Amino acid sequence: MTQGQGEQRPPAHGGGDDWQRDVLRELGDGASGSGRPAAEPRRGEPTLRLVHPAPPQPGTTAEADAGEGASAPHDASPPAAAPHDAPAGHAPQAPAPRAGTAAAPDPGRPAPPPTRPLAPRTDPGRPAPPAAREPRLPAAPAPESSPTLDPRLLLALGSPLHGDSVSRRTGRALRKLTSSVSQDVAEQTRIARELQQPVTTGRVVAVTSIRGGVGKSTVSALLGRTLNHYRHDPVLTLEADTALGTLPVRMGAEAVRWTVADLAPVLHPSMKLTDVTGYLVPVSDGGWLLPASRGQVGPPLDMTAYRKVTLALRRYFAVTVADCETLPGEVARTAMDTAHARVVVAPTTAEGVGATRQVLDWLARLPHSALATTVVALVSNTPDTLLDDKTAAGHLKEAGVTVVTVPYDRHLAGGGPIRTDLLAHATRQAVLRLAAEVMGRAVRVR
């Protein structure tokens, strides 16, 4: 029986040489339709090799792909045919088939094994490529540090003055020799006990005024340093006034970087105290500072950002002194309404005391009256005041609040960083009393 005439072949299955018949059937020519192999090519005609198209694998060379039976690229052109003067008995080289085509196998050659997809080749000495990760948004760049004062102004700044003159300090030293020491010790012990009261949750003390330039930031800095000196838990002084506030300068910070608005999207409940303090400014004599600006005119502080920061930082700091903007600003009204205790700074002037009295009347009309937790700091910014301080304090006490008078101090009036060792004796006692009154009211709030 001749080849291709009635030759019986086993049924198709996954083994043996049946893969050749499947390939021939896919070619679509006459031989594949009858299930017979193609006729033997004539001598002198190019012999086509059976090629199974396979996608190129990464890490393989062109020679390796040709040896494994991978198809040539689509844009590869077939090589030129063998010349007519080829040596006798030497079969001409077969041109490479185009992508997507194949030819019948050469009967004179052994059948190649089935072609399988090539696995990616890896270099043993090269680490495996990393697994694909979920795309993440790029982190916001960290803000740049900015000095609180121009270096030229620091060079021009003279030595700070003591709050008391030499004659006043000498007279007080002489009076101590004849006065009773036990009474002073008892008063200092009472104030220290008020300042060191334990708290269950962080307390927020809001400091504001009816207008700027009356000493609001100075009072905030004095409260923050006093509370940090007497308390053993961390104390934070926060600036909530972006109108080029002076709190960083008064606290002695040389440079600022992160602000309240920058910290608001960064805070997370899983953060520890050591993580949070990395965004704050450490104060030289203890405590921490969070400014509201970097010494540049910027957008006003958002009320949402202020509430988020103050609520989140209460977990880490026992007391937070917030230097708010002037009334009736939105952040100031929010701070006065949500704080545990409030300090309203009033200048010792007729118009300043009259405007502060209107603020106290507004606090009394709130749904939950805030007068019980409000203390007024009556500050004197000049040694020669026209308004009697006792009369001014009595006018403010009529609203039902406690008034603490902070006298004129040469050291505070000179500006610049505050040094507690240069404060006048009367100023130091007034600040201690103010801090004790505020802390007592903040602790009583549940």
Side-chain angles (χ1 to χ4, degrees):
M1 181 179 300
T2 62
Q3 184 180 1
Q5 296 180 0
E7 180 181 359
Q8 300 296 329
R9 304 183 65 89
H13 54 82
D17 298 332
D18 298 338
W19 62 274
Q20 297 180 356
R21 186 180 60 181
D22 299 335
V23 172
L24 294 176
R25 183 182 299 110
E26 295 174 0
L27 295 178
D29 52 5
S32 61
S34 60
R36 301 175 182 177
E40 183 178 357
R42 300 179 181 179
R43 189 173 184 85
E45 294 182 356
T47 304
L48 300 180
R49 294 185 300 171
L50 179 63
V51 178
H52 290 262
Q57 300 296 332
T60 60
T61 60
E63 293 81 359
D65 292 341
E68 296 291 343
S71 63
H74 291 279
D75 56 350
S77 58
H84 297 282
D85 56 350
H90 186 277
Q93 297 293 334
R98 296 185 178 180
T101 62
D106 188 358
R109 298 184 181 181
T115 304
R116 297 181 180 179
L118 296 178
R121 298 182 180 180
T122 58
D123 188 358
R126 182 179 302 176
R133 298 180 180 179
E134 297 181 359
R136 296 182 179 179
L137 296 178
E144 297 182 358
S145 179
S146 302
T148 55
L149 281 179
D150 192 281
R152 295 171 295 180
L153 297 178
L154 291 177
L155 295 176
L157 187 64
S159 300
L161 297 176
H162 197 283
D164 287 329
S165 61
V166 177
S167 59
R168 182 175 298 180
R169 282 179 283 172
T170 304
R172 187 176 66 253
L174 294 177
R175 286 191 299 270
K176 283 184 177 180
L177 298 177
T178 60
S179 62
S180 174
V181 181
S182 60
Q183 185 177 0
D184 294 339
V185 172
E187 180 66 14
Q188 295 294 330
T189 303
R190 184 191 67 82
I191 292 178
R193 188 180 299 111
E194 289 287 334
L195 296 175
Q196 296 174 357
Q197 295 184 72
V199 295
T200 54
T201 58
R203 307 282 105 174
V204 178
V205 178
V207 183
T208 186
S209 62
I210 192 60
R211 59 184 175 88
V214 302
K216 173 177 59 65
S217 299
T218 300
V219 172
S220 301
L222 291 173
L223 285 177
R225 291 197 166 193
T226 302
L227 292 172
N228 178 79
H229 176 75
Y230 281 88
R231 298 191 65 86
H232 301 286
D233 37 23
V235 176
L236 172 66
T237 307
L238 183 145
E239 185 183 26
D241 187 3
T242 58
L244 299 179
T246 59
L247 182 63
V249 178
R250 302 299 260 171
M251 294 291 290
E254 297 180 357
V256 294
R257 187 172 185 180
W258 293 86
T259 64
V260 178
D262 297 330
L263 189 59
V266 177
L267 289 175
H268 193 270
S270 62
M271 299 177 67
K272 300 180 181 180
L273 177 61
T274 54
D275 301 330
V276 174
T277 54
Y279 298 95
L280 308 179
V281 180
V283 184
S284 58
D285 55 353
W288 303 93
L289 168 67
L290 179 59
S293 65
R294 284 181 286 273
Q296 300 174 355
V297 178
L301 181 63
D302 185 26
M303 180 185 62
T304 305
Y306 169 80
R307 298 196 63 172
K308 179 179 179 180
V309 170
T310 52
L311 290 177
L313 294 182
R314 284 171 52 185
R315 300 175 51 239
Y316 309 98
F317 297 94
V319 184
T320 300
V321 180
D323 180 17
C324 303
E325 62 181 357
T326 57
L327 290 169
E330 183 180 19
V331 175
R333 289 186 283 109
T334 302
M336 295 291 286
D337 190 31
T338 58
H340 299 91
R342 303 150 186 88
V343 177
V344 180
V345 181
T348 312
T349 59
E351 60 273 19
V353 172
T356 303
R357 176 62 185 273
Q358 297 179 6
V359 172
L360 298 178
D361 295 339
W362 167 73
L363 291 176
R365 293 192 299 268
L366 292 178
H368 52 283
S369 178
L371 290 181
T373 56
T374 302
V375 181
V376 176
L378 187 60
V379 179
S380 178
N381 297 319
T382 176
D384 302 321
T385 56
L386 300 178
L387 182 65
D388 181 60
D389 55 352
K390 293 183 179 180
T391 304
H395 182 71
L396 295 174
K397 289 180 180 179
E398 293 178 358
V401 296
T402 301
V403 179
V404 177
T405 302
V406 181
Y408 170 77
D409 191 294
R410 295 193 309 171
H411 176 63
L412 297 179
I418 297 177
R419 289 180 50 181
T420 55
D421 59 326
L422 296 180
L423 292 176
H425 178 72
T427 304
R428 190 179 298 108
Q429 297 301 318
V431 172
L432 285 176
R433 183 189 171 198
L434 177 63
E437 295 286 347
V438 170
M439 198 64 199
R441 286 163 173 76
V443 172
R444 288 195 296 266
V445 176
R446 301 300 179 187

